[in-house]
Amino acid sequence: MKNAAGIIASIALLTILVTGLVAVQPAQGQELETRLYVGLWTEHYIHDDPDYNESNDIVQLSAYTEDNWFVSAATFSNSHYDDSTLVGIGREYHAEYLDGFSWGIMLAAVHGYEGKIQTHYKGLLFAPISYYKYKNLKAIVVGPVVNIGLEFEF
């Protein structure tokens, strides 16, 4: 039964990703900008639990339109060392007077926290995510958890 729940969750994540790709489809003549984020370090500001995963091994691929909408997919080892998958859609904003600084928001569906925290249908967790970026250095914030890493455009 656990395998069936994983398959249903995977189908739901794929559906969200495809919907996001359609939603951020660029206008005719525009190109998508592709970025790769690699998370290097994580800090938990909720408990003093020494057993939390402090690296998370995040690899995230995002596609951005010229008007700064994006869709993302990521794989990572969550705070409890379980494999997790994320898909989301969001928007990035650039600071008008601070060259190189931007921030963004994303609504993501995450799978991989079954039995660890309150999850929704078939183990899916819906999370608001924000991030702050200066040039290639990026900090992702999910509630009381911060992940710092590097983002590259290609």
Side-chain angles (χ1 to χ4, degrees), residues 72-153:
S72 288
T75 182
F76 61 100
S77 174
N78 70 29
S79 301
H80 306 283
Y81 296 91
D82 295 324
D83 291 336
S84 296
T85 307
L86 170 150
V87 294
I89 185 170
R91 176 120 162 107
E92 182 171 90
Y93 301 89
H94 299 276
E96 189 173 336
Y97 300 106
L98 296 171
D99 188 37
F101 182 78
S102 60
W103 66 95
I105 54 173
M106 175 173 61
L107 180 60
V110 185
H111 186 262
Y113 285 89
E114 297 84 359
K116 304 293 193 269
I117 58 176
Q118 180 72 35
T119 59
H120 302 289
Y121 181 74
K122 300 298 182 189
L124 287 177
L125 169 70
F126 295 95
I129 297 171
S130 62
Y131 68 84
Y132 306 91
K133 188 172 86 169
Y134 179 72
K135 301 198 184 226
N136 286 38
L137 184 63
K138 187 173 183 179
I140 297 175
V141 181
V142 184
V145 180
V146 176
N147 181 270
I148 306 261
L150 299 173
E151 184 174 71
F152 304 97
E153 181 182 334

